[in-house]
Amino acid sequence: MTVRGRLRVLLGAAPGVGKTFTMLEEGRRLLGEGRDVVIGVLETHGRAATLAMADGLEVVPRRTITYKGVQLSEMDLAAVLARAPRVALVDELAHTNAPGSPHEKRWQDVTDLLEAGIDVISTVNIQHIESLNDVVQQITGVPQRETIPDAVLREADQVEVVDLAPQALRDRLSGGLVYPAERVDAALSNYFRLGNLTALRELALLWLADDVDQALRRYRAEHGINSKWEARERVVVTLTGGPEGETLLRRGARIAARSGGGELLAVHVTSQDGLRAASPGALAAQRALVEQLGGSFHQVVGEDVPTALVDFARSVNATQLVIGVSRRGRLSALLTGQGIGATVIRESGDIDVHIVNHLAAGERFTLPRWGGALSLRRRLAGFLLTLLAGPLLSWFLVTGRNDDSITVDVLGFQLLVVVVSLIGGIQPALFAAVLSGVTIDYFFLQPYNTITISKPLHIVAIGLYVVIAVLVSVVVDRAARQTRTARRAAAESDLLQTVAGSVLRGQGAVQALAERTREAFGLPAVRVVSAGSVLADCGEAPPEERPTSVPVGDRAQLELYGSDLKASERRLLAVIVAQLEAVLEHSDLEEVASEVEPLTTTDRVRSALLSAVSHDLRRPLAAATAAVGGLRAAGAALTEQDREELLSTADESLATLASLVTDLLDVSRLQAGVLAITAAPVDPADVIAPALDELDLGPDQVEIDLAVDVPAVLADPVLLQRALVNLLVNAVRHSPAHRRVRVSVSSFAAVVEIRVIDHGPGIPTDRRHEMFVPFQRLGDTDNTTGLGLGLALSKGFVEGMGGTLSPEDTPGGGLTMVVSLPTALSVDRAGSCEGRDRSYAGRGGSDEGEDS
């Protein structure tokens, strides 16, 4: 029986990372070890380095197939099977074979080779994996028609990622190592964008990590391994649907993040009968938070919650388990035994368990009430202890009663009074003292079983008995009062710190102060209103309840809903009001600054405009005036040649003047937002040709590269032509005499890009923000070139048409200006109307030594 061959797949994030090169390199290594290696099929794509690496390896000739009159070459499966090598190198696993081949897909050919006992090394890109096809299309905007089922890759014996940093791949592309020079610009700006490559690289690494994880689970299941393997941290957070869920999730996310790439999982256990159900709304909110934190939500069914949690944690190979402190009280815990936390810790084994005190970790808090030192629960506990322990102590002491036992009897009841005062304070202590005195007189002083006191000294003893009880209870009450005061001071400090931080946060500070005020004083609702408008609103105001209004300066009111605040709480309220007033004042200053900034910008533009008028407009105006003056003064004395020369000078100067005035008016319209734009479907070629004709640029100066089937764009043809003229003037001026400017047009997803490429000095990255500032030339000292408005207008025109104008580096040096415009079809689908007039508020800018 033939042993099935082994499949090794080299996975790449994008073309050009080196998959084929690595495959050939591995083939040469195996050949050097004496293995029988052949190339079943190789796609070099014209790359010299790839072709050189194949030198010395045997190549099985391809099979030629004629389809619709076209000669196509495919791997000759029969020839490779007949050759029967030990290892076959088969490039591009997802390739679709030409009609007439034995199989539709190349991966099916590879399956035949594997069944024949031939080991195969192949290559594939992440965009060809079936399950990721739609994701890749969303990232790149390019649909992939050639895909490979996930199961084929999952069943491979070995999958390796051939990794290359995105910027390194772009550098390789710029150097002409991946595509021919004429395709480099379009590739860099479309599929090979830095963001695209980064996302594709992440997809490839995540897919491989998931594949490794599935393989690890299969191995553990096959070998019956239940103990955790800490290949990577997996943090499981238990959710009950209670208010502590958000705290637990954020704590679990921090634990996972600190471990470096850990995985976060949240689990909620429900009962089979559905009686132990949490709030659906709370669980939904916590599930959304899990997804925001990059984790996954799971729901399991189980009657024994601790066992269900531990079983789930083991099933996902969890390393850490996060649970919250039980919300049960001490009495409930005493009556019902150990809680879930203790059981989980006992059964978790080698899984680390974190018990989070969510009450302390929560953000919400209320200030302690300024009132009695001891709580009502403690006072009730004191009374209860007196009623329970008093009779038991009396029964115990009565059984051993004699004339000499009175001292022990009194000390026993004195101990009871002290214990009651420690627990419940002065009220239960007085009750215990009086009850103990009556009990001693009735059971332990003669005559027995009466409340008659035969000796006056006994009355003094009972009085001292009560005094001691009062003194002990006062000490206890004072200690409790000091503890409560310390807690209140800490809470006040926390509140003041938060208030101060809210002021520094600027935006949203008013809302933050309102929320903190409501939480601090336990109010149902708090609002901040000014001049009839609500600046902040938190909580739900009780219906038909009139709020307590606190003035905030002379422009706002702080409305408090709920019970009136105590005098001590109003001291804190005054601090909050002062901080709120500071926030509102800061907001007023920001509003004034935002109103002043446009005026400052307008003043700068006005100054630059006056400077331009005083210098740049003076030259053509002076020339035109001199020419017309010469014609009028000389009259008939001028020769025909002199007359024509003066008329030509006047005409040229007036044309220059008209162009400058037009640009100034357009900049003013852009600044004012009243530039009318009439958008309609336009073929980019119909705009590029007139722009070249306007500048009288021929093939010796400009090279045109129009992609096939470029869709129409939605643009104003007149404004688009003016924008391209400005860009072309710049490019021609700064390109070397021996290098032609290149204009290319390509489409990507629903966007058409017109690229004007020069090979001049370019512009440093740190100065590109100055390109689109009006009246700037970026070092161009030729004042005859104009006002420096070319890129200001071009950017305004393009953005007004719904596009973008952005600079990029030209591979090999220079500047590439990219005009990106939406296709007419994409805008129609979005509900736009052709030929619609609109106005645009643009931004001014300068250019690479440009005038226009």
Side-chain angles (χ1 to χ4, degrees):
M1 182 178 179
T2 303
V3 178
R4 179 183 171 87
R6 294 177 56 83
L7 174 60
R8 178 181 175 185
V9 179
L10 303 177
L11 177 65
V17 297
K19 303 179 302 299
T20 302
F21 191 90
T22 303
M23 179 187 71
L24 295 172
E25 192 176 42
E26 180 65 11
R28 292 170 67 99
R29 185 187 68 81
L30 295 175
L31 183 64
E33 293 178 356
R35 305 282 290 277
D36 183 12
V37 181
V38 302
I39 296 177
V41 64
L42 175 64
E43 306 289 353
T44 65
H45 299 289
R47 298 166 191 165
T50 303
L51 188 60
M53 182 58 67
D55 188 33
L57 292 172
E58 178 184 348
V59 180
V60 176
R62 293 193 181 195
R63 176 189 179 197
T64 301
I65 300 175
T66 302
Y67 178 69
K68 294 184 178 180
V70 180
Q71 297 290 326
L72 303 174
S73 62
E74 297 289 353
M75 181 178 72
D76 193 337
L77 177 61
V80 177
L81 291 172
R83 172 64 177 75
R86 187 67 188 89
V87 179
L89 307 182
V90 180
D91 205 5
E92 297 189 0
L93 187 61
H95 173 75
T96 300
N97 293 327
S101 301
H103 299 292
E104 179 186 1
K105 296 287 187 177
R106 185 167 290 170
W107 62 264
Q108 295 171 317
D109 297 339
V110 168
T111 301
D112 288 353
L113 297 178
L114 296 174
E115 294 295 339
I118 301 174
D119 293 344
V120 176
I121 302 177
S122 188
T123 64
V124 72
N125 282 326
I126 192 67
Q127 68 262 29
H128 297 299
I129 299 179
E130 181 66 41
S131 63
L132 301 179
N133 184 258
D134 57 338
V135 179
V136 173
Q137 182 174 351
Q138 291 175 6
I139 294 172
T140 65
V142 179
Q144 295 292 334
R145 296 178 178 83
E146 294 185 334
T147 59
I148 181 173
D150 288 52
V152 175
L153 286 185
R154 299 289 187 195
E155 293 173 359
D157 299 279
Q158 189 173 348
V159 179
E160 303 173 22
V161 171
V162 180
D163 190 31
L164 186 65
Q167 188 56 53
L169 179 55
R170 284 175 59 87
D171 293 341
R172 179 182 289 184
L173 189 66
S174 299
L177 301 178
V178 180
Y179 292 143
E182 61 271 12
R183 296 179 56 191
V184 170
D185 294 328
L188 284 174
S189 61
N190 295 325
Y191 193 91
F192 287 83
R193 296 173 188 261
L194 189 61
N196 290 359
L197 296 178
T198 303
L200 293 175
R201 185 190 190 197
E202 182 182 15
L203 272 182
L205 295 174
L206 289 175
W207 190 93
L208 182 64
D210 184 61
D211 182 64
V212 172
D213 188 52
Q214 290 189 19
L216 179 62
R217 291 184 183 181
R218 285 197 303 268
Y219 180 85
R220 285 163 50 86
E222 291 171 357
H223 292 78
I225 300 174
N226 295 321
S227 61
K228 68 172 182 178
W229 283 9
E230 298 185 11
R232 62 171 169 168
E233 294 287 351
R234 281 189 178 84
V235 182
V236 174
V237 178
T238 61
L239 298 178
T240 64
E244 74 280 1
E246 181 177 344
T247 301
L248 300 183
L249 286 172
R250 297 190 185 280
R251 178 64 62 85
R254 291 196 294 270
I255 295 173
R258 284 197 298 267
S259 64
E263 184 178 353
L264 177 67
L265 302 94
V267 59
H268 173 67
V269 180
T270 59
S271 61
Q272 295 179 356
D273 54 13
L275 296 178
R276 188 175 60 244
S279 168
L283 273 181
Q286 292 169 10
R287 180 169 190 161
L289 179 60
V290 172
E291 295 174 353
Q292 293 176 11
L293 296 174
S296 57
F297 181 85
H298 305 266
Q299 192 160 340
V300 297
V301 178
E303 293 300 326
D304 188 352
V305 175
T307 302
L309 290 177
V310 173
D311 289 345
F312 174 80
R314 293 192 185 282
S315 68
V316 298
N317 197 27
T319 58
Q320 307 200 46
L321 187 60
V322 179
I323 61 178
V325 173
S326 175
R327 290 177 294 186
R328 300 182 306 159
R330 295 182 180 179
L331 180 60
S332 176
L334 180 64
L335 296 176
T336 60
Q338 293 181 335
I340 292 176
T343 308
V344 168
I345 293 175
R346 186 176 62 253
E347 297 183 0
S348 62
D350 52 1
I351 300 176
D352 298 334
V353 179
H354 301 262
I355 299 183
V356 179
N357 188 344
H358 47 80
L359 294 179
E363 295 181 353
R364 295 172 56 90
F365 74 100
T366 56
L367 295 175
R369 294 180 181 177
W370 194 276
L374 296 178
S375 63
L376 177 62
R377 190 172 69 173
R378 286 189 61 175
R379 294 197 296 272
L380 292 177
F383 283 111
L384 182 63
L385 177 63
T386 301
L387 295 175
L388 294 178
L392 291 176
L393 180 63
S394 300
W395 172 79
F396 176 75
L397 294 178
V398 166
T399 57
R401 181 179 59 185
N402 55 57
D403 294 338
D404 298 328
S405 65
I406 185 62
T407 303
V408 175
D409 299 335
V410 172
L411 290 177
F413 280 98
Q414 183 68 66
L415 177 61
L416 173 64
V417 173
V418 171
V419 172
V420 170
S421 65
L422 289 175
I423 294 176
I426 187 170
Q427 295 175 359
L430 289 175
F431 175 70
V434 173
L435 189 62
S436 298
V438 173
T439 302
I440 291 174
D441 178 65
Y442 188 85
F443 288 105
F444 302 101
L445 293 179
Q446 295 182 355
Y448 297 131
N449 300 327
T450 66
I451 56 174
T452 302
I453 300 177
S454 59
K455 298 180 179 180
L457 187 61
H458 291 168
I459 297 178
V460 175
I462 293 176
L464 293 175
Y465 194 76
V466 173
V467 169
I468 292 174
V470 170
L471 291 177
V472 172
S473 61
V474 167
V475 171
V476 172
D477 190 81
R478 179 173 298 177
R481 188 178 300 275
Q482 291 175 348
T483 301
R484 186 172 292 270
T485 302
R487 287 176 55 203
R488 180 179 180 83
E492 289 178 356
S493 175
D494 186 16
L495 175 62
L496 294 177
Q497 180 181 0
T498 303
V499 168
S502 300
V503 175
L504 295 177
R505 281 195 294 270
Q507 268 193 337
V510 176
Q511 183 68 26
L513 283 170
E515 292 176 354
R516 207 60 174 173
T517 302
R518 184 178 68 87
E519 294 172 0
F521 300 115
L523 302 174
V526 171
R527 293 200 314 169
V528 180
V529 297
S530 175
S533 62
V534 179
L535 303 180
D537 187 2
C538 58
E540 295 183 2
E544 299 182 0
E545 179 177 331
R546 296 179 60 85
T548 301
S549 184
V550 180
V552 180
D554 55 359
R555 56 157 294 185
Q557 297 285 328
L558 178 64
E559 296 182 349
L560 307 178
Y561 292 85
S563 58
D564 293 337
L565 300 182
K566 298 180 176 63
S568 58
E569 293 174 331
R570 290 189 174 274
R571 179 172 57 88
L572 282 179
L573 181 62
V575 176
I576 294 177
V577 169
Q579 296 288 359
L580 187 57
E581 186 176 1
V583 169
L584 295 176
E585 183 178 357
H586 178 74
S587 176
D588 291 341
L589 292 176
E590 282 188 339
E591 184 177 350
V592 172
S594 64
E595 293 175 356
V596 172
E597 184 177 359
L599 298 178
T600 305
T601 303
T602 303
D603 186 63
R604 288 199 301 265
V605 174
R606 184 183 296 110
S607 299
L609 182 59
L610 291 175
S611 175
V613 170
S614 65
H615 181 276
D616 294 276
L617 296 184
R618 184 186 304 167
R619 179 180 53 81
L621 184 60
T625 302
V628 173
L631 287 170
R632 176 178 296 176
L638 290 175
T639 64
E640 188 65 26
Q641 182 178 357
D642 291 339
R643 182 184 299 274
E644 287 296 329
E645 185 174 342
L646 288 174
L647 288 174
S648 176
T649 300
D651 184 64
E652 181 180 348
S653 299
L654 291 174
T656 302
L657 184 62
S659 176
L660 293 176
V661 171
T662 300
D663 285 348
L664 289 173
L665 290 175
D666 284 341
V667 167
S668 300
R669 292 190 184 102
L670 287 173
Q671 295 285 349
V674 294
L675 180 66
I677 297 175
T678 302
V682 178
D683 187 341
D686 293 340
V687 178
I688 295 174
L692 296 176
D693 292 340
E694 180 179 339
L695 299 174
D696 196 21
L697 297 176
D700 59 326
Q701 294 173 289
V702 178
E703 174 189 356
I704 306 297
D705 180 14
L706 299 178
V708 181
D709 297 331
V710 174
V713 298
L714 191 71
D716 186 317
V718 176
L719 296 183
L720 180 57
Q721 179 178 331
R722 290 189 60 191
L724 292 179
V725 166
N726 291 334
L727 299 180
L728 287 167
V729 168
N730 259 7
V732 171
R733 180 183 303 125
H734 295 281
S735 283
H738 63 282
R739 299 295 298 273
R740 293 188 298 174
V741 172
R742 187 161 174 264
V743 179
S744 67
V745 181
S746 61
S747 61
F748 173 72
V751 175
V752 172
E753 292 187 341
I754 304 174
R755 310 172 69 83
V756 180
I757 306 162
D758 69 54
H759 299 278
I763 295 179
T765 304
D766 58 348
R767 297 199 63 191
R768 287 184 179 171
H769 66 282
E770 304 175 23
M771 295 176 60
F772 304 105
V773 178
F775 308 105
Q776 299 290 331
R777 295 192 180 94
L778 289 187
D780 193 338
T781 58
D782 181 10
N783 288 331
T784 66
T785 58
L787 302 178
L789 296 175
L791 286 183
L793 294 173
S794 298
K795 187 176 180 66
F797 293 160
V798 173
E799 290 184 347
M801 294 180 285
T804 60
L805 176 62
S806 57
E808 294 181 358
D809 289 325
T810 300
L815 182 68
T816 298
M817 298 301 297
V818 183
V819 177
S820 301
L821 292 168
T823 63
L825 180 61
S826 67
V827 177
D828 287 343
R829 288 176 177 172
S832 295
C833 299
E834 296 184 1
R836 182 177 60 183
D837 291 342
R838 52 188 175 183
S839 296
Y840 168 71
R843 297 181 303 215
S846 98
D847 51 327
E848 184 191 5
E850 211 274 326
D851 60 305
S852 177

